[in-house]
Amino acid sequence: MVKGTHAGLVSDRLNNPKFCGPADALTGIAPGWHPIIHNMGGMHAKLVPGMSLSGTESQMVHVYGGVSGRGIVQKGRYVRAGEILEVELWAKVRHHPVTVRVSLTPARSNALYDAADITIDAAYWKRYTARLNAPRDDREARFFITFVTNGQVLFDQVHLRPAGEGHVSEPMLETMRALRLPTVRFPGGSISSCYRWRHGTGPVHLRPSLPDPCFKWRIDYDFGIEDYLQMCLEQDIRPFVSVNIGSGTPAEAGELAAYCADWHRMQGVEPPEVYFMMGNEQYGAWEPSHMEADMYVEALREYVPLVRSNYPRARIVAMGAIECEGMDGRPATPLRHKLLEDGAGLFDVLTIHTYPGSGFDEPERQIARAAAGAASARSKLVQLIADCRDAGSDVKVAMTEWNFWTQATHWDGLGFFEPDDAAHGLFFSAMVHVFAGLAPDLELAHYYNLINVMGMLRNDGGHVSPTGVSGLYELYRPAFPGQVLPIAVDSPQLDDGSLQLDVLAVRTDEADFVFIANRSVRESVAVELAGMEGRPGSAALMLAADAASPFREEDAATASSSVGSAGTETLLPPLSVVRLRYERAGTTGEERL
C-alpha cells in the first residue's frame, strides 16, 4: 500500500506537495510543478536541501522583476462541482512579507474558478490556509501560486484538500469499509526493504517525502503506520505489517512491534493478533536486500525473537519460495528446504507469490491463459503444503501477492497499470475458487494491489471508483467465512481443452452459495443443478460486455431474466459469473449439490 500511497490514500489533490527533488536542471523547480512564465524573466527558483520541516528540500522562489504572472503552477488537477477546497501552505519569507495569490482555473482558458490572497509574514515556518470553490467538474484544472508582491519565499509544502476532510481520503476509507476487508498488508512488498516506519508517525506536516531507492519513485509517509493501525481498528481489519530487513535492523523491527502493541493499548484495546512478514522477496535478484538462503534464515533468527518478545500475539510470515537466485556465478540456494529444516519455530506461515501473465491479443487465448495461471497457482500452493507436511511442519501457507500481469511496466508513465478487463475478472474468480478449496491449510491471500497499482480500487484525484475485480470481490464476500462443499462438475470444454465452467459451492449458517463462471468469450451455457430441487433461491450476476470490458453487476431484473430464479436450471451468458443463493432455514443440512 505504500507505492502510490499519496495518490491512493491521502486526500491531497496536488502532485509532489512537499517539493521532493531533484529539481529541474533549467528551472530549479521540483517535479510536478512548472513556472508560470516559461522564460522565468524576473524570477529565480531552486530547491534548498535540508531546509524543510522534515529535513528534506524546500522550494525557494524569488520574484524581483515585476510581479505580473510570476510564480509556479500545477496542471491536470481533478476538481468537482460544488467542492470547497482548502489550501494548506507552509512557507516562510526572507527580508519582508510577501503576498501570493492561490487560484484555480480551467485548463484551456483564462477564466478563473476562484482565487484567494495569502500574505506570508514570518521568517520562520508558519501554516497559512485559504479556501477555493470549484464551480464545475474538471479533470484538468490548474492550480496557481502567483506572486502579488516582489520578494523571496521558501515553500515547505502546499496541499489542496476538500475542506474538513483531513489528510486521509474519506471516500477511499468509505469504499474500503464497504468491502469488509479481512486483512490488508502494509507498507507493501519490495518497498518494505526501504520503508522506515518511524517516518509515518507524528504530525503529518513533519513527515518527509523521500526518494525511493527500490522503484526509483518516492516514498510518501503522509499515510503512515499510525494511520494504518487506526484504519484497521475502525474497520476490523487484521493488521499485516511488512518488516524492513533490507535497510533496517533487528532492533528497529523489535521497536516497530513494541510501537504496535503500545498504540493499541493507548486506544484502550488489547493488542490483537498481528501478522509480521519478514521481508518480501529476498530470494529474487531484483530485491535491494537479495540474499542467499542461509542468510535469510539467519535474518529470521535475529529479527523474529525481538518481534515476538515485544508483540506476544505476533504471527510470523516468512518467504517460502523454492530457492534463492544465484548471483555472480554462485548457484541458487534451496530456500524452502532450508527454512523447513533449520528454521522450525521461527515462522507460523510460509508464503509465496505468483504473477501469471499473458501477451496475447486474441481474447480466447487471453482468457485461457488466465485460467491456466490460476491452475498453476493452485499447483504451487499444493506443492508448498505438501513440502511443509513432508517436513513434519504444521505451519499454514499463504499467497501474499497475486495478480494477472499483462502490461504493467515501470517505464510507461501509467503507474504500473493493469487493464480492468474480462481476463483479470475471470482470473480473480478462479483464484477465489482455488483459495477456498485449499482451506484450512491456506491461511490468507493478498491481491496485489488494493489501490491504483494493478489495483482493485482506483483513486483518480480524489474520485474513487471500483473495478470489475472489486465488484467480483463483493459478489463472493457474503459466502465467507464458510464451509466449502464438494460438488461434481460436468462441463463442456473450450477450444484449448480447458473447462468452460468454473464452479465453487460454499455453505454458511444462513445459506448455501453456488458460484459459476462461464469462461467462454461468445457462448452461453445452460446449467442444470442437481440436488437443489424444491429450494427457492436468488441470483446475482456479473458479466463483461466483451473481452476488453470490465465485469459489471447486472440489476436484479436483468439477472433474473438471464439466469432464472436460481432454481435447478440456469442460463449463463458468455464472460459471466453468477452467485446462486439458497436459504438454509428449515433444512436438514444433508443436501448435496
Side-chain angles (χ1 to χ4, degrees):
M1 288 181 64
V2 153
K3 188 170 53 148
T5 289
H6 184 268
L9 279 163
V10 302
S11 57
D12 217 316
R13 299 292 174 81
L14 294 180
N15 179 33
N16 196 8
K18 293 188 177 180
F19 300 101
C20 183
D24 183 274
L26 296 178
T27 67
I29 298 175
W33 296 86
H34 307 275
I36 297 174
I37 299 295
H38 71 90
N39 63 15
M40 296 181 66
M43 169 181 159
H44 173 66
K46 69 175 182 179
L47 286 183
V48 183
M51 180 64 78
S52 76
L53 287 163
S54 63
T56 58
E57 303 97 334
S58 62
Q59 180 71 66
M60 188 277 289
V61 178
H62 186 192
V63 172
Y64 52 86
V67 295
S68 176
R70 286 165 177 81
I72 55 178
V73 59
Q74 278 200 17
K75 58 184 180 179
R77 300 303 93 199
Y78 196 148
V79 299
R80 292 190 293 278
E83 277 191 318
I84 301 175
L85 298 165
E86 183 174 77
V87 179
E88 179 185 7
L89 185 154
W90 288 83
K92 69 192 210 70
V93 292
R94 294 187 68 196
H95 312 305
H96 56 77
V98 174
T99 298
V100 298
R101 178 167 297 145
V102 293
S103 60
L104 283 173
T105 76
R108 295 175 180 84
S109 76
N110 293 324
L112 179 69
Y113 286 154
D114 202 3
D117 287 356
I118 297 174
T119 297
I120 304 167
D121 57 5
Y124 51 85
W125 293 121
K126 183 176 175 181
R127 179 177 181 268
Y128 303 86
T129 63
R131 292 196 170 188
L132 301 175
N133 294 296
R136 63 180 177 87
D137 291 350
D138 191 344
R139 288 177 174 267
E140 299 294 330
R142 298 177 295 185
F143 175 79
F144 288 83
I145 303 177
T146 308
F147 278 60
V148 177
T149 61
N150 283 348
Q152 185 178 135
V153 178
L154 283 91
F155 298 99
D156 174 88
Q157 54 197 275
V158 183
H159 305 281
L160 182 67
R161 302 187 177 105
E165 188 168 312
H167 77 282
V168 180
S169 170
E170 284 298 328
M172 179 55 72
L173 290 181
E174 283 298 317
T175 302
M176 291 170 61
R177 189 174 290 114
L179 294 177
R180 295 187 295 131
L181 299 165
T183 180
V184 174
R185 186 174 62 150
F186 181 85
S190 297
I191 202 78
S192 63
S193 292
C194 314
Y195 189 79
R196 313 312 294 262
W197 66 269
R198 284 190 181 85
H199 290 321
T201 64
V204 177
H205 69 277
L206 298 180
R207 299 183 193 177
S209 178
L210 297 173
D212 165 15
C214 178
F215 291 100
K216 312 306 179 192
W217 295 337
R218 76 180 196 215
I219 301 177
D220 288 298
Y221 291 92
D222 281 12
F223 184 94
I225 184 68
E226 65 180 59
D227 306 287
Y228 167 72
L229 293 175
Q230 184 67 44
M231 180 188 74
C232 289
L233 181 63
E234 291 177 353
Q235 298 190 25
D236 195 26
I237 294 171
R238 181 182 296 185
F240 186 114
V241 179
S242 302
V243 176
N244 181 345
I245 63 171
S247 62
T249 66
E252 185 179 11
E255 291 158 3
L256 167 61
Y259 175 88
C260 292
D262 291 342
W263 185 91
H264 283 98
R265 293 188 185 106
M266 289 177 65
Q267 312 310 310
V269 299
E270 280 301 305
E273 188 171 76
V274 170
Y275 291 107
F276 287 90
M277 183 171 174
M278 297 296 113
N280 180 62
E281 293 173 345
Q282 274 66 31
Y283 55 82
W286 57 87
E287 268 287 324
S289 54
H290 173 238
M291 57 184 75
E292 295 177 335
D294 57 347
M295 295 173 64
Y296 184 68
V297 174
E298 184 59 31
L300 295 187
R301 292 193 181 110
E302 294 289 332
Y303 275 76
V304 171
L306 290 173
V307 170
R308 282 187 166 151
S309 64
N310 287 323
Y311 203 99
R313 298 196 66 191
R315 191 150 178 81
I316 303 299
V317 182
M319 290 304 309
I322 293 175
E323 61 185 19
C324 288
E325 292 185 7
M327 287 287 289
D328 300 326
R330 299 170 67 92
T333 52
L335 174 60
R336 186 180 300 172
H337 176 75
K338 183 77 173 177
L339 279 168
L340 291 170
E341 186 176 75
D342 298 342
L346 291 174
F347 55 91
D348 306 297
V349 181
L350 208 54
T351 188
I352 58 174
H353 296 168
T354 190
Y355 288 101
S358 171
F360 298 127
D361 289 330
E362 301 91 334
E364 289 85 356
R365 297 182 72 186
Q366 187 89 317
I367 299 299
R369 186 67 189 91
S376 173
R378 185 184 188 281
S379 296
K380 292 175 183 178
L381 285 167
V382 167
Q383 186 61 58
L384 175 60
I385 294 167
D387 289 344
C388 291
R389 303 301 172 256
D390 289 346
S393 173
D394 62 354
V395 299
K396 302 291 188 179
V397 304
M399 185 167 275
T400 42
E401 287 189 21
W402 60 276
N403 204 328
F404 190 53
W405 196 325
T406 64
Q407 71 176 52
T409 70
H410 292 88
W411 51 263
D412 60 8
L414 298 179
F416 230 65
F417 176 77
E418 279 292 324
D420 185 14
D421 60 16
H424 284 79
L426 288 171
F427 177 73
F428 179 89
S429 170
M431 290 295 283
V432 173
H433 294 195
V434 166
F435 296 142
L438 293 177
D441 292 292
L442 182 83
E443 181 161 334
L444 59 89
H446 283 141
Y447 183 84
Y448 185 95
N449 192 291
L450 179 64
I451 303 171
N452 286 2
V453 180
M454 299 177 77
M456 183 183 289
L457 302 171
R458 297 292 308 174
N459 188 349
D460 299 300
H463 178 71
V464 179
S465 56
T467 65
V469 168
S470 64
L472 287 164
Y473 175 93
E474 293 187 86
L475 187 77
Y476 280 94
R477 189 66 180 90
F480 295 91
Q483 174 191 359
V484 176
L485 299 175
I487 183 167
V489 180
D490 181 11
S491 169
Q493 291 186 336
L494 298 174
D495 291 343
D496 67 334
S498 63
L499 296 182
Q500 182 174 348
L501 299 180
D502 187 20
V503 186
L504 172 70
V506 179
R507 171 165 292 170
T508 69
D509 291 340
E510 294 79 27
D512 287 340
F513 293 89
V514 181
F515 298 91
I516 311 172
N518 180 5
R519 293 167 167 167
S520 174
V521 175
R522 297 177 177 84
E523 299 296 328
S524 297
V525 61
V527 178
E528 181 178 351
L529 287 88
M532 312 307 284
E533 293 82 357
R535 297 185 60 188
S538 60
L541 176 69
M542 293 192 68
L543 57 83
D546 51 52
S549 299
F551 273 83
R552 290 291 181 258
E553 183 178 7
E554 296 295 304
D555 59 48
T558 303
S560 179
S561 63
S562 297
V563 303
S565 59
T568 59
E569 294 186 0
T570 297
L571 181 65
L572 202 54
L575 298 177
S576 62
V577 180
V578 66
R579 181 188 70 210
L580 307 176
R581 176 189 172 110
Y582 300 90
E583 301 299 328
R584 296 194 63 227
T587 65
T588 64
E590 299 299 325
E591 293 79 15
R592 296 190 177 189
L593 301 180

